[in-house]
Amino acid sequence: MLRLRAIYPCSWRVFQFRTCSCKPLISQMIKCTDEEQVFDLIKKNKATFSEKQVECAFNILWQFQQQRTSFLKNVDCIRDYPHFLTLHNLATSQIEFMDDDTLVNVLYFIQQCAPEAHDLLVEALVIESWRRLERFDINVLSKFSSCLANQLLYYSPLMGKIADIVHRNLETIDDLRSLSVLMVSISSLTSQRFQQQLVNKTEHLFDTIDSSQVNVARRIVQFLRNIKYSYYPLLERCNKVFLSNMNHLDLDCISKILSLYHSLQFHSFEFVKMAKKRLTEMIPLFDHPDGFVKLFVALGPMAGPEEKKQIASILHKHLDDYKPFELLKITQTLTFLHFQSKELFVKLRELLLRYLKISVIPSEIAILVYALSILPSSNLCEVEISQIEAVLPQCDLNDLNGFATSVLRWIHYDRKYLDSTTGKQLKLLQKLDHYGLQRLRNSNSLNLLWKELKSLKGDWFTESLLEETVATLLRLMDEINSKNVAEIASFISRTNYLNTLLLDRIASVVVQQIEKIHPFEILGIILPFSALNYDPPQNDEFFRICIQHLNSHLSGLEPPMLVFLGFSLAALGYFPEDLLKAIFNIKFLSKMDSQLELLCSSLNRRVQFRLMELNRAVCLECPEYQIPWFHDRFCQQQYNKDIGSMNGAQKQIYKMLAEVLGGTNCVKASVLTPYYHRIDFECVLDKKKKPLPYGSHNITLGKLPEMHWESNTQITGSRLPPGAERIALQFLDSRAFCRNIPHLKGKSAMKKRHLEILGYHIIQIPHFEWNSMALSTKEARMDYLRERIFGEGKS
């Protein structure tokens, strides 16, 4: 939002008066201590009021409001004064005498007084500003664009004219403060080329602002969020501004920055750490609804038990004051915190349904429906379903996905599958499929499509739209470039869908345009190749270039990102020495431990598992690096929690293996190897391929096995009789393969390599073979197992 220059107290130098007679009146207004005194002066001097006096009166009234807390109530109070209309009329009559700066200042001030829709003074000021638009200097133009944004006129012809003026004059603009305001205002009307020009200009001017310009930095990040461009060089520079001013950031600013970072998927542990401390200190200060919802949503996910308790105790009494998007954020935060309060959830449902009945905006309806779907024991009636159906033609893929996710959640939890409501929900899903496919097929721009695809996830997308999405990406893949390649690659990795043409295009763009790609983006680029276990035709050059690009920036990457990078490369069989040295040292591991405390539990656990898996891979595949194995205790703790039981297919295989091998004492189930790989089944064959019994070391089906090996200094194969062979049998379910073809994914392929290093002969039993028609009988399956183990068919 626009930060106008402080006019109050109204300095004599700020105004250029038409007559000297206005000076004493301005001096009197400066000395006023409340609104009543200002309006009293207006009443007594209305016959001689000048345009500068009008501007000063509005400004002083606005300053009084900023000093109070109950904002809306006080604004209403201003409008209730009898002589507010007098001031309003005086402003209308003085428009032609106002200079450009005064004209826009008065427009800003009258907007802050919450005028009625289509206020005549606002319309007159906007029309006069439009007439003068070409002569406005950059500062006045930026103020005016912000006034239009306040009226939600982002797509108006007038905003388009402002965008054109900025485009034509961009080379001569040297005020980043004004430019940052304009960038946010016109962001919806900028082409990709214009966006890049604005980013380049911002980089060029960034050093012209001092390190205290928090609002400029925040608007730059907001612009990047608006155009969905995670441009790391600018984000890093803005982040340094925020960090250096953390002690001066208020709740509103911290909340906005956290939200913007989340949208851009930009992670700064230092900012989160400092923000958590600042927000925790603010808890006792915020009992007002406007501030509290921001505090609750921002602090809730990273708060400790005591802070959560403090926050939740205040929430209930403010619910009636919140709008749909705020209610969604509250609902999501409560769900994340596993908050338990039937009374609170009932109240939330009532408020969400109340808004839903009157809403006509597709994105708002999608927000309300999604919030309702994550409440416990919630569902929609036929009237509300009909309301959703009515807006579907206006929805983009994000809205459609939000509706589908909500409907699927209701169907999943609805036990009465045959009632009429569920029938309506199923029909609604069919309509969602239709509109989603239609929108994909009509897409003719990758950049426009990507804005909708970027955040899509969930069962509906993968089941109904994935094939068509891949087809659309293939149709538009010539538009993949250095700006969008990392995000598209990361998106593909989440789909588990292997399309070699798309991945080859991604590799080609990276090889040709690596200098335009930020090191932070390398992880996203590598992910699909690692997850889907695919080497592009120029794989050696591709990975060499990616690793070289990383090496010079290792010190600037956060520990979790380095761990994920190391694991992703290891899954592909690449072990860059510089990267591994950066990870496996005491300083790095200490820094990572401190950052893990700031992560949510699921991400914390994922980072720790990836570090363990990387440690294991390096020990097994690169012993020459002499990196020690230090995850014994971690693995023992995790596997003691995760005993689990076999699924149906595994139980079936276990019983048949016992028959094939000559008894349960010849097969072990759920075996842990050195370095804690889990094997579904293990057996040992002597040199004549006869099964060797385990004796008393066997285990009860489904329980955690006892360790029959010592630490990591020996591998199991080292204790076998001469010529004997240890065999690992793995049942591979659908998670081990790409979604669209029976191609082994990265983690499963890496595990196979590791087991072979440990001395195992690997027999993989894919689910699609075990459950095929060819193995529909027990005899066929027994023959299948004999052939895989002994190399023979029927006995």
Side-chain angles (χ1 to χ4, degrees):
M1 294 301 295
L2 181 61
R3 294 281 187 178
L4 293 174
R5 285 181 314 211
I7 302 176
Y8 177 78
C10 300
S11 169
W12 293 94
R13 292 172 294 180
V14 174
F15 301 101
Q16 300 174 1
F17 307 111
R18 282 190 294 145
T19 65
C20 293
S21 61
C22 68
K23 295 179 182 178
L25 182 54
I26 288 178
S27 297
Q28 293 177 61
M29 284 192 287
I30 292 173
K31 297 175 183 177
C32 291
T33 58
D34 58 34
E35 293 89 347
E36 191 167 343
Q37 292 180 8
V38 176
F39 283 117
D40 189 53
L41 288 173
I42 293 170
K43 174 184 176 182
K44 293 176 180 177
N45 298 278
K46 60 183 179 182
T48 60
F49 238 64
S50 71
E51 77 280 4
K52 288 296 182 181
Q53 290 164 341
V54 167
E55 179 185 21
C56 185
F58 272 120
N59 179 50
I60 292 173
L61 290 171
W62 174 236
Q63 294 296 330
F64 286 147
Q65 300 315 304
Q66 290 184 305
Q67 296 168 13
R68 297 185 172 95
T69 56
S70 186
F71 172 73
L72 292 175
K73 180 180 177 181
N74 285 322
V75 167
D76 290 340
C77 187
I78 284 183
R79 294 180 58 77
D80 289 341
Y81 276 100
H83 290 287
F84 177 81
L85 183 59
T86 301
L87 180 60
H88 190 280
N89 292 336
L90 285 169
T92 303
S93 66
Q94 297 288 343
I95 288 177
E96 63 180 294
F97 300 110
M98 296 177 184
D99 62 29
D100 297 345
D101 198 57
T102 300
L103 183 75
V104 176
N105 279 342
V106 171
L107 174 59
Y108 175 78
F109 295 138
I110 192 66
Q111 280 186 331
Q112 306 313 308
C113 293
E116 301 296 329
H118 309 298
D119 181 89
L120 293 178
L121 174 56
V122 172
E123 290 184 7
L125 290 166
V126 170
I127 290 171
E128 181 60 27
S129 297
W130 196 334
R131 292 195 187 105
R132 305 184 190 185
L133 201 59
E134 288 286 353
R135 80 183 199 198
F136 280 173
D137 65 30
I138 187 66
N139 183 42
V140 175
L141 190 68
S142 70
K143 295 177 186 177
F144 182 54
S145 75
S146 186
C147 291
L148 295 180
N150 288 343
Q151 299 179 59
L152 305 180
L153 297 175
Y154 295 103
Y155 297 95
S156 65
L158 184 48
M159 193 71 88
K161 182 65 176 175
I162 293 174
D164 178 61
I165 292 172
V166 174
H167 187 259
R168 285 189 277 114
N169 296 279
L170 187 59
E171 288 188 10
T172 62
I173 295 175
D174 58 6
D175 178 5
L176 185 54
R177 187 203 65 79
S178 297
L179 179 60
S180 66
V181 175
L182 286 161
M183 287 162 60
V184 173
S185 300
I186 66 174
S187 56
S188 301
L189 301 173
T190 52
S191 65
Q192 184 184 1
R193 182 181 179 187
F194 187 20
Q195 290 168 5
Q196 192 61 54
Q197 289 173 333
L198 290 168
V199 169
N200 295 342
K201 186 69 175 182
T202 302
E203 283 194 288
H204 177 70
L205 294 176
F206 200 93
D207 291 333
T208 64
I209 63 170
D210 62 54
S211 59
S212 65
Q213 294 292 322
V214 171
N215 289 325
V216 175
R218 181 180 52 76
R219 286 192 291 265
I220 292 169
V221 178
Q222 187 173 343
F223 170 72
L224 293 174
R225 192 279 309 273
N226 288 357
I227 65 172
K228 295 181 170 62
Y229 185 17
S230 299
Y231 186 61
Y232 289 104
L234 268 182
L235 288 171
E236 289 177 295
R237 297 175 79 174
C238 291
N239 190 57
K240 289 179 181 177
V241 173
F242 301 144
L243 291 174
S244 64
N245 291 276
M246 181 59 76
N247 291 334
H248 306 291
L249 299 186
D250 59 15
L251 170 64
D252 188 59
C253 195
I254 293 174
S255 174
K256 285 181 179 177
I257 293 169
L258 286 170
S259 176
L260 292 170
Y261 279 2
H262 178 74
S263 298
L264 289 165
Q265 297 181 347
F266 177 75
H267 305 287
S268 169
F269 283 96
E270 191 64 25
F271 182 83
V272 171
K273 181 180 178 180
M274 296 173 71
K276 179 181 178 181
K277 182 176 181 295
R278 286 278 293 143
L279 293 172
T280 302
E281 293 168 352
M282 294 178 187
I283 292 176
L285 306 178
F286 283 94
D287 192 30
H288 190 269
D290 290 338
F292 181 74
V293 69
K294 293 173 184 174
L295 182 67
F296 178 73
V297 170
L299 181 58
M302 54 183 174
E306 186 57 36
E307 291 88 359
K308 291 176 183 177
K309 185 177 179 181
Q310 285 179 267
I311 294 174
S313 65
I314 306 171
L315 180 64
H316 192 281
K317 61 183 178 182
H318 294 319
L319 283 181
D320 287 317
D321 300 305
Y322 296 135
K323 298 296 185 290
F325 185 71
E326 294 170 325
L327 291 174
L328 170 62
K329 289 296 184 183
I330 290 169
T331 306
Q332 288 176 317
T333 305
L334 289 171
T335 304
F336 180 85
L337 297 175
H338 303 290
F339 192 77
Q340 301 294 324
S341 172
K342 183 177 180 180
E343 182 184 2
L344 183 59
F345 287 132
V346 168
K347 180 68 173 178
L348 267 173
R349 176 174 167 77
E350 291 175 357
L351 291 170
L352 291 167
L353 286 173
R354 186 189 308 167
Y355 277 118
L356 184 58
K357 288 177 182 177
I358 61 173
S359 180
V360 295
I361 303 171
S363 58
E364 185 175 87
I365 293 174
I367 284 173
L368 292 165
V369 170
Y370 184 77
L372 281 165
S373 74
I374 59 181
L375 287 174
S377 305
S378 183
N379 214 326
L380 290 181
C381 67
E382 291 191 19
V383 173
E384 291 143 0
I385 291 175
S386 298
Q387 187 180 4
I388 295 171
E389 291 176 336
V391 299
L392 292 184
Q394 307 167 50
C395 291
D396 63 14
L397 289 172
N398 278 310
D399 294 335
L400 294 172
N401 190 61
F403 284 133
T405 302
S406 304
V407 173
L408 285 170
R409 187 178 284 114
W410 277 311
I411 292 175
H412 179 72
Y413 287 110
D414 187 358
R415 297 178 180 178
K416 301 176 181 178
Y417 288 99
L418 298 178
D419 69 10
S420 59
T421 304
T422 301
K424 277 272 190 179
Q425 292 170 349
L426 293 173
K427 290 179 181 178
L428 178 55
L429 274 180
Q430 292 175 347
K431 292 184 179 180
L432 288 163
D433 290 351
H434 167 75
Y435 285 108
L437 293 170
Q438 189 178 64
R439 193 161 185 89
L440 284 168
R441 289 165 183 165
N442 292 337
S443 296
N444 54 19
S445 166
L446 181 58
N447 288 316
L448 293 177
L449 174 65
W450 180 242
K451 291 181 179 181
E452 299 183 32
L453 284 180
K454 186 175 182 179
S455 57
L456 288 193
K457 55 185 178 181
D459 293 341
W460 177 72
F461 167 70
T462 54
E463 296 298 330
S464 300
L465 297 188
L466 184 53
E467 290 279 351
E468 193 65 38
T469 298
V470 173
T472 305
L473 289 175
L474 280 170
R475 177 163 52 85
L476 302 173
M477 74 175 180
D478 287 345
E479 298 178 40
I480 297 176
N481 54 41
S482 60
K483 183 176 178 180
N484 57 30
V485 65
E487 291 186 320
I488 291 174
S490 183
F491 172 81
I492 291 172
S493 70
R494 296 197 303 271
T495 67
N496 285 326
Y497 192 104
L498 178 58
N499 184 282
T500 58
L501 292 177
L502 278 175
L503 293 183
D504 291 348
R505 168 65 182 175
I506 287 170
S508 175
V509 168
V510 171
V511 170
Q512 295 170 18
Q513 304 180 35
I514 188 65
E515 295 304 321
K516 298 179 182 179
I517 297 171
H518 195 279
F520 281 13
E521 297 178 302
I522 297 298
L523 174 59
I525 289 168
I526 290 174
L527 275 175
F529 299 92
S530 173
L532 303 176
N533 187 29
Y534 177 70
D535 283 329
Q538 70 275 50
N539 65 306
D540 288 338
E541 184 182 12
F542 169 65
F543 290 115
R544 177 182 56 80
I545 284 175
C546 287
I547 292 168
Q548 285 179 348
H549 199 51
L550 279 172
N551 282 344
S552 57
H553 296 84
L554 292 177
S555 60
L557 301 177
E558 297 284 8
M561 182 177 286
L562 281 177
V563 170
F564 288 138
L565 274 165
F567 172 78
S568 297
L569 287 167
L572 288 159
Y574 290 89
F575 296 88
E577 188 172 1
D578 289 345
L579 175 60
L580 295 176
K581 286 181 178 178
I583 294 173
F584 292 105
N585 64 78
I586 298 299
K587 184 178 179 181
F588 172 90
L589 296 173
S590 298
K591 182 179 180 181
M592 192 186 78
D593 282 342
S594 65
Q595 293 188 355
L596 288 176
E597 298 174 3
L598 301 173
L599 300 177
C600 66
S601 58
S602 60
L603 183 54
N604 181 315
R605 194 161 52 248
R606 189 170 163 231
V607 173
Q608 292 188 66
F609 262 99
R610 288 292 182 263
L611 181 64
M612 180 276 289
E613 290 170 319
L614 176 59
N615 187 199
R616 175 169 62 197
V618 174
C619 289
L620 285 169
E621 300 193 58
C622 298
E624 67 274 15
Y625 287 163
Q626 297 185 334
I627 292 173
W629 167 250
F630 55 91
H631 278 90
D632 261 335
R633 180 175 297 178
F634 172 80
C635 289
Q636 288 167 12
Q637 290 172 346
Q638 296 304 316
Y639 284 113
N640 283 336
K641 296 176 186 176
D642 183 31
I643 295 175
S645 60
M646 293 185 180
N647 60 36
Q650 288 171 325
K651 289 180 180 178
Q652 192 178 53
I653 293 171
Y654 179 79
K655 291 176 181 178
M656 291 185 183
L657 281 173
E659 290 187 47
V660 168
L661 295 168
T664 56
N665 64 335
C666 292
V667 57
K668 274 185 173 290
S670 196
V671 175
L672 286 181
T673 73
Y675 302 102
Y676 290 85
H677 271 305
R678 187 185 290 277
I679 299 174
D680 291 339
F681 311 102
E682 180 191 275
C683 65
V684 177
L685 302 183
D686 65 16
K687 61 183 179 181
K688 296 181 180 180
K689 288 203 170 186
K690 290 184 178 180
L692 294 177
Y694 284 98
S696 60
H697 294 290
N698 210 347
I699 60 166
T700 304
L701 190 63
K703 291 189 177 180
L704 186 70
E706 296 178 4
M707 304 300 179
H708 60 280
W709 39 265
E710 297 178 5
S711 188
N712 62 328
T713 58
Q714 286 190 349
I715 61 172
T716 52
S718 64
R719 291 178 290 154
L720 294 179
E725 183 178 42
R726 196 180 299 274
I727 296 176
L729 295 99
Q730 289 289 107
F731 177 75
L732 302 179
D733 62 18
S734 60
R735 293 171 297 179
F737 299 95
C738 297
R739 178 178 294 273
N740 54 320
I741 57 174
H743 178 79
L744 201 64
K745 287 164 59 177
K747 281 194 68 174
S748 298
M750 181 168 66
K751 181 175 181 177
K752 184 175 185 291
R753 292 201 311 268
H754 291 179
L755 293 178
E756 288 172 342
I757 291 171
L758 288 169
Y760 281 98
H761 170 66
I762 316 301
I763 296 176
Q764 295 179 329
I765 305 174
H767 69 98
F768 49 83
E769 290 185 3
W770 188 253
N771 296 319
S772 66
M773 288 298 295
L775 302 183
S776 59
T777 65
K778 180 181 177 180
E779 291 75 14
R781 285 175 170 169
M782 295 282 282
D783 283 343
Y784 173 84
L785 291 174
R786 290 190 188 98
E787 183 178 355
R788 298 299 306 275
I789 297 170
F790 305 116
E792 61 186 42
K794 293 182 179 180
S795 57

